[in-house]
């Protein structure tokens, strides 16, 4: 990645690490007089509140999703498991402190994952404060999402509406501005996401067909960007996706060496927690072997701490 693109997305991550670290240490100072292992307890508390709470909230909104996938069920189970584990540790703290400490230590990789989630959440918020499409884009690229039958679902509709809004705002400065819609056909979809987006743009938002280009082969965000690259004929580029997806998209855009800004479309608040957990899982999947190695090392450290206990 070029230095400018790298720093644009790295700066919020560094700020987020500093903020989460400071919050963990501050909470540890507050808890120090009352609990043993205050730093570890603080990490567990922040991890449970963030990752566990967001995952459990996602379980409550499963019935409102357009499609419920295996990942959604996994997220729900993760939230329930983290909260049950935290409750078990708290209940065992007085009658069986050794058991509580063992559970707290053995779950160290889980607490680390929760802190990483808190960093991601904070980085998203910091990035969103600075994210804007300036100057006026020559191409507005709208990323696909799940369909509802043949039509765009609520999540995708908001992306399309935000993209059309950006396109209209750009017309005064760039009369030749274009909209590029990107999304192939999933196994459970009856048509390509790009065709549904183009139809919605024309029939409901008044965008002429001549201003719309379609990319209909992609099945992931990486493919959205890679396959759309050759279709971008007017610069600068603005990529439109959902708020929770904007930060990861900015990273992928920079990794691909594509100059552009990422703009987030409004997302229903009740949907955001689970969506952000899904983003975290997607990032973990992108770096799966690093995550596995880190988890093994942390678990080995926890076991050593238990064995070395006087």
């Amino acid at each position: 990645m070029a230095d400018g693109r790298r720093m644009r997305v790295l700066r919020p991550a560094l700020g987020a690490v500093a903020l989460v670290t400071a919050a963990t240490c501050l909470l540890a100072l507050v808890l120090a007089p009352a609990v043993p292992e205050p730093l570890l307890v603080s990490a567990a508390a922040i991890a449970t509140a963030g990752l566990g709470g967001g995952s459990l909230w996602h379980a409550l909104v499963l019935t409102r999703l357009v499609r419920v996938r295996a990942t959604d069920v996994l997220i729900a189970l993760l939230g329930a498991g983290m909260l049950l584990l935290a409750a078990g540790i708290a209940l065992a703290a007085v009658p069986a402190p050794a058991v509580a400490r063992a559970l707290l230590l053995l779950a160290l990789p889980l607490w680390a994952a929760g802190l990483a989630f808190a960093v991601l959440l904070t980085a998203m918020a910091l990035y969103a404060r600075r994210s804007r499409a300036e100057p006026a884009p020559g191409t507005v690229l709208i990323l696909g999402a799940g369909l509802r039958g043949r039509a765009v679902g609520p999540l995708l509709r908001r992306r399309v509406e935000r993209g059309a809004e950006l396109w209209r705002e750009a017309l005064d400065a760039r009369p030749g501005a274009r909209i590029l819609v990107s999304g192939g056909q999933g196994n459970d979809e009856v048509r390509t996401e790009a065709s549904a987006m183009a139809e919605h743009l024309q029939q409901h938002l008044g965008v002429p067909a001549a201003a719309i280009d379609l990319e209909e082969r992609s099945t992931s965000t990486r493919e959205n960007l890679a396959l759309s690259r050759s279709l971008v004929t007017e610069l600068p580029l603005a990529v439109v996706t959902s708020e929770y997806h904007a930060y990861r998209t900015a990273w992928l855009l920079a990794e691909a060496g594509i100059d552009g800004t990422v703009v987030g479309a409004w997302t229903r608040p009740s949907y955001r927690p689970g969506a952000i957990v899904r983003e975290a899982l997607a990032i973990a999947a992108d770096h799966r072997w690093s995550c596995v190695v880190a988890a093994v090392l942390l678990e080995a450290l926890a076991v050593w701490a238990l064995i070395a206990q006087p």
Side-chain angles (χ1 to χ4, degrees), residues 88-116:
I89 292 171
L91 290 173
V94 175
V99 173
R101 182 175 183 272
L103 290 174
L104 192 64
L105 279 169
L106 291 175
L108 187 57
L110 190 59
W111 311 140
L115 288 179

Side-chain angles (χ1 to χ4, degrees), residues 76-95:
L77 293 174
L78 174 64
M82 285 190 74
L83 292 179
L84 286 173
L85 176 60
I89 292 171
L91 290 173
V94 175

Side-chain angles (χ1 to χ4, degrees), residues 198-268:
E199 181 180 278
H200 191 83
L201 285 166
Q202 295 172 60
Q203 295 184 1
H204 299 279
L205 299 173
V207 178
I212 304 172
D213 298 308
L214 283 74
E215 182 288 301
E216 301 184 88
R217 294 184 294 148
S218 56
T219 57
S220 67
T221 304
R222 285 184 185 276
E223 290 184 359
N224 284 148
L225 301 176
L227 296 176
S228 296
R229 187 173 192 167
S230 62
L231 301 176
V232 176
T233 56
E234 300 290 335
L235 295 175
L237 173 68
V239 181
V240 178
T241 185
S242 300
E243 288 172 324
Y244 65 85
H245 191 226
Y247 188 54
R248 179 168 174 258
T249 300
W251 269 107
L252 295 176
L253 195 69
E255 285 181 357
I258 302 173
D259 285 315
T261 57
V262 182
V263 179
W266 184 85
T267 308
R268 192 173 66 239

Side-chain angles (χ1 to χ4, degrees), residues 22-310:
T24 305
C25 293
L26 182 61
L27 182 58
L29 288 174
V30 173
L31 294 177
V35 300
E37 308 278 3
L39 191 61
L40 186 56
V41 170
S42 298
I46 291 174
T48 303
L51 183 55
S55 299
L56 190 62
W57 180 262
H58 188 63
L60 301 177
V61 300
L62 283 181
T63 57
R64 300 171 64 181
L65 299 182
V66 174
R67 290 175 292 179
V68 176
R69 296 172 174 170
T71 305
D72 297 305
V73 177
L74 174 64
I75 291 171
L77 293 174
L78 174 64
M82 285 190 74
L83 292 179
L84 286 173
L85 176 60
I89 292 171
L91 290 173
V94 175
V99 173
R101 182 175 183 272
L103 290 174
L104 192 64
L105 279 169
L106 291 175
L108 187 57
L110 190 59
W111 311 140
L115 288 179
F117 176 77
V119 168
L120 175 63
L121 189 61
T122 306
M124 285 178 170
L126 293 175
Y127 180 81
R129 288 178 59 118
R130 301 172 182 169
S131 177
R132 56 189 183 277
E134 292 181 359
T139 300
V140 177
L141 168 60
I142 308 174
L143 303 188
L147 301 180
R148 176 168 285 179
R150 293 188 57 80
V152 298
L155 185 74
L156 185 53
R157 186 186 72 246
R158 294 187 186 100
R159 294 186 188 183
V160 174
E161 290 170 348
R162 183 70 177 111
E165 180 184 356
L166 282 180
W167 175 78
R168 291 191 190 284
E169 291 173 354
L171 286 178
D172 288 340
R174 302 183 185 277
R178 304 195 61 76
I179 293 184
L180 171 57
V181 289
S182 175
Q185 181 176 350
N187 294 331
D188 53 354
E189 292 176 321
V190 297
R191 63 189 298 192
T192 66
E193 294 164 5
S195 65
M197 287 189 279
E199 181 180 278
H200 191 83
L201 285 166
Q202 295 172 60
Q203 295 184 1
H204 299 279
L205 299 173
V207 178
I212 304 172
D213 298 308
L214 283 74
E215 182 288 301
E216 301 184 88
R217 294 184 294 148
S218 56
T219 57
S220 67
T221 304
R222 285 184 185 276
E223 290 184 359
N224 284 148
L225 301 176
L227 296 176
S228 296
R229 187 173 192 167
S230 62
L231 301 176
V232 176
T233 56
E234 300 290 335
L235 295 175
L237 173 68
V239 181
V240 178
T241 185
S242 300
E243 288 172 324
Y244 65 85
H245 191 226
Y247 188 54
R248 179 168 174 258
T249 300
W251 269 107
L252 295 176
L253 195 69
E255 285 181 357
I258 302 173
D259 285 315
T261 57
V262 182
V263 179
W266 184 85
T267 308
R268 192 173 66 239
S270 62
Y271 182 75
R272 289 176 201 164
I276 296 172
V277 176
R278 238 191 342 263
E279 286 294 288
L281 292 176
I283 293 171
D286 289 341
H287 304 88
R288 60 179 65 86
W289 292 116
S290 297
C291 291
V292 169
V293 170
V296 170
L297 290 176
L298 287 171
E299 193 62 28
L301 178 63
V303 172
W304 175 82
L306 282 174
I307 294 173
Q309 180 181 5

